[in-house]
Each structure stands twice: as structure tokens, then as C-alpha cells.
Amino acid sequence: MALLPGPLLCGALLGWVCLAAPGRAVEVQVPAEPLSAPKGRTAELTCTYSTSVTDSFALEWSFVQPGKPLSASMPILYFTGGQLYPTGSKAKRASLLQNPPTRGVATLKLADVHPSDTGTYLCQVNNPPDFHTNGLGLVNLTVLAAPSDPRCSQTGDMSVGGSAALSCSSSEGLPRPVYNWARLGSLPTPPPGSMVQDEVSGQLVLTNLSRASSGTYRCVASNQMGSASCELTLSVTDPSKGRMAGAVIGVLLAVLALSVAVFCFMRFQKERRKRPKETYGGSDLREDATAPGISEQTSGMADPSSGLLEKASSSISAKTNKSKLPVVV
């Protein structure tokens, strides 16, 4: 005859289910309120239990990121067989307040907490043959951090009459930072409705821009842990003045180009007039010029194939010889 478990056996014999059972019920207690810890500190995640600890006792801590189901939990540490086994990315920072956790205290200590440690932690106790009534406890932890240095940026039409959006955002900060924009200096306050800001998103919308809208704007991101800020300079331009300046520059460039052309033309004409004088100057000797002392007639009777200088030399030599003949009386 097979033996039935205690409650079923009692029910089969007496016609009702007995409340007594072998062992004790496993009960896990955790804080009802979420826990919080500043960035860089050590967080203690309280977890206590009641059961009759035996050699089968086992404890497991695991972690679930915000927005994910419990089935996506990642292990942090195990205690089983009298040994502690840290595991996962938090292994070096995780420990137990009491080790071994065999006296009803299973509190987890997590050192040097980061914003990424924010989430839900699962404390689960198993102790066969004790049956479960509530062997799992959930602890919510929020790591508090001051806002990181925000990033300021601007988009839109930065001309007179246009609209611009200034944005401010911190990549880190818990609780979520609140953003506030302000214009620096003693410039006149823009008209009501021309500046609209969203403290949650960190956006400042400026409409109907004017030259008076130009200036330096500061965004301050703050929460209960601290604050940080960034600045940007907004320059509103006037398109009409830009077009006028462009026209003036165009005229000046045209005048400059015309002046250069006129100068080059005048220099060319001057060089052209000077060129004949340089070619036929008085100091130059032309091949077809008549040598000094030679008559036009002699020059005309000269053989073109003979050199002019050769004929002139013969004539002069003849005259010289005649002058040297003796005179007979």
C-alpha cells in the first residue's frame, strides 16, 4: 500500500483536510516601501525569513531591471550546501549581512551602488521539506544621483520673426531632474508668451524672435541630490541687413574689378607706344643706313651684293694714293 502525504492521508481517513503537516511553512519578509541609497554608498536590502533550517536550506538573490518581467531576473548570489556563491556583474560588490544566513536574516549588502543598480531585487528561500506559503520577497531599490552636466543645444530659424527651440538634457540623475531656463544679463524681458519652457523635457521655445532675443541662456538641471548647468549663446540675425551688406559687397567687388581692368588696359597702351622707340633708337645702327662721308651718288652706284663698308673703304684708299704721287715740274 502506497503512503499518502500527511494532509491527504488525514483527509482520506477522517473526511477532512488536516492543517498539520510535516515541517514548517517558509515565510519571507521584506520592506513594503521602496528603498533608496545615494550613489556610491552601500545599500542594505533587508530580507528575513522563518523556517526550520536544514541541510537542504538554499537562498538566492537576483535582480530585475525596471520595466522587465520577473522571469528576466539575473542572479546575484546563491547560498547552498553551507557555501556562498556570488555571481553575475554585481558579484564583486554583493555580500550578505550575516554569513551564513542560517538564523533568519538573509539581508543583501550592495557596495558602491550606481544608477544602473536601480530596479527590483528578489529574495527567495527554499528549504525542503518545508512547504512554501510565501518564499519570495521583492525589494525595490532606487539609487539617488545628482544630475550629470546637461547638454545644451538649439534648433530652428535664428532670424528676426523666426522661432527657436533650446534643449537641455542630463544623461544621469535620480530622481529625474527638473530643468529651468533663464537668460543672463540685464537685457529687457521678452514679451509674455514668447518664451515657453517645459520643466520635464528641458525644452525652451522662443517665438517671434527679435534682435533683443539675442543673448546667453542658462539651463539648470536639479533634483534633491544636487544640480548642474550649461549655457549657450543665441544670435538672432536680420535678413534684410544681410541682403544690404551683400549688395554693398557686390558693388565694391565690381568697382574693384573694373579698376583693375582699366589699369591693365592703360598699362598695355603705354607699353605699346614705347615699343617703336626702343626698336629704332638713335644709338642703333641699321644695315641699310648710309655711312658718314659717302655721297648719295656713290651710295646709289654701289653693288647691292657687295658690302657698303667695302666700297667706301676702296674709294678712300684710292684718294689717298693719288695724293701721295710726286709732282714733276
Side-chain angles (χ1 to χ4, degrees):
M1 177 179 178
L3 295 178
L4 299 174
L8 298 180
L9 177 61
C10 183
L13 294 177
L14 302 179
W16 53 279
V17 177
C18 299
L19 297 177
R24 298 173 55 185
V26 178
E27 294 285 347
V28 173
Q29 297 86 32
V30 294
E33 297 295 327
L35 303 179
S36 62
K39 177 185 176 181
R41 303 289 183 84
T42 297
E44 290 191 2
L45 284 68
T46 304
C47 179
T48 59
Y49 66 90
S50 60
T51 188
S52 56
V53 178
T54 65
D55 293 339
S56 300
F57 174 83
L59 167 68
E60 178 185 355
W61 274 99
S62 56
F63 168 72
V64 179
Q65 294 178 341
K68 292 189 176 182
L70 297 182
S71 59
S73 62
M74 298 174 290
I76 297 176
L77 59 78
Y78 298 95
F79 181 88
T80 183
Q83 296 293 325
L84 182 64
Y85 302 97
T87 184
S89 60
K90 306 180 191 298
K92 294 183 179 180
R93 299 185 290 122
S95 62
L96 291 175
L97 183 63
Q98 292 186 5
N99 188 19
T102 55
R103 297 184 180 181
V105 178
T107 299
L108 174 69
K109 293 178 63 178
L110 192 61
D112 189 24
V113 292
H114 310 308
S116 59
D117 293 324
T118 296
T120 301
Y121 291 77
L122 285 67
C123 176
Q124 186 171 5
V125 176
N126 290 301
N127 190 30
D130 289 3
F131 65 92
H132 291 274
T133 56
N134 187 22
L136 176 65
L138 306 180
V139 182
N140 292 315
L141 173 68
T142 299
V143 178
L144 306 178
S148 58
D149 291 337
R151 178 178 176 272
C152 288
S153 60
Q154 62 183 22
T155 57
D157 181 7
M158 307 302 170
S159 59
V160 173
S163 298
L166 311 185
S167 299
C168 176
S169 178
S170 295
S171 59
E172 185 177 296
L174 283 174
R176 188 171 182 176
V178 174
Y179 302 95
N180 283 284
W181 282 94
R183 188 171 63 170
L184 305 182
S186 57
L187 298 174
T189 303
S194 62
M195 294 180 60
V196 179
Q197 68 172 323
D198 188 335
E199 295 183 348
V200 176
S201 66
Q203 188 176 71
L204 173 67
V205 178
L206 303 174
T207 57
N208 194 23
L209 294 174
S210 64
R211 295 299 297 273
S213 303
S214 300
T216 301
Y217 291 77
R218 174 184 293 168
C219 171
V220 179
S222 60
N223 62 12
Q224 65 189 61
M225 300 302 296
S227 62
S229 64
C230 62
E231 298 178 1
L232 62 78
T233 299
L234 179 67
S235 298
V236 181
T237 59
D238 190 341
S240 61
K241 292 186 177 181
R243 288 192 296 268
M244 183 180 298
V248 172
I249 293 175
V251 171
L252 292 177
L253 291 176
V255 171
L256 178 61
L258 182 61
S259 300
V260 172
V262 171
F263 173 78
C264 293
F265 178 76
M266 294 178 65
R267 185 176 180 85
F268 174 75
Q269 292 295 332
K270 184 177 180 180
E271 294 293 335
R272 186 178 180 182
R273 288 194 299 268
K274 291 172 61 177
R275 191 175 298 118
K277 295 182 179 180
E278 293 179 354
T279 305
Y280 305 109
S283 60
D284 295 335
L285 181 63
R286 294 172 56 185
E287 291 184 356
D288 57 348
T290 302
I294 304 300
S295 63
E296 293 295 333
Q297 182 178 2
T298 305
S299 177
M301 296 174 60
D303 186 357
S305 61
S306 300
L308 176 63
L309 296 179
E310 184 178 346
K311 290 289 184 177
S313 177
S314 300
S315 176
I316 294 173
S317 178
K319 290 181 179 181
T320 304
N321 291 334
K322 290 179 179 182
S323 63
K324 289 182 179 182
L325 292 177
V327 178
V328 178
V329 178

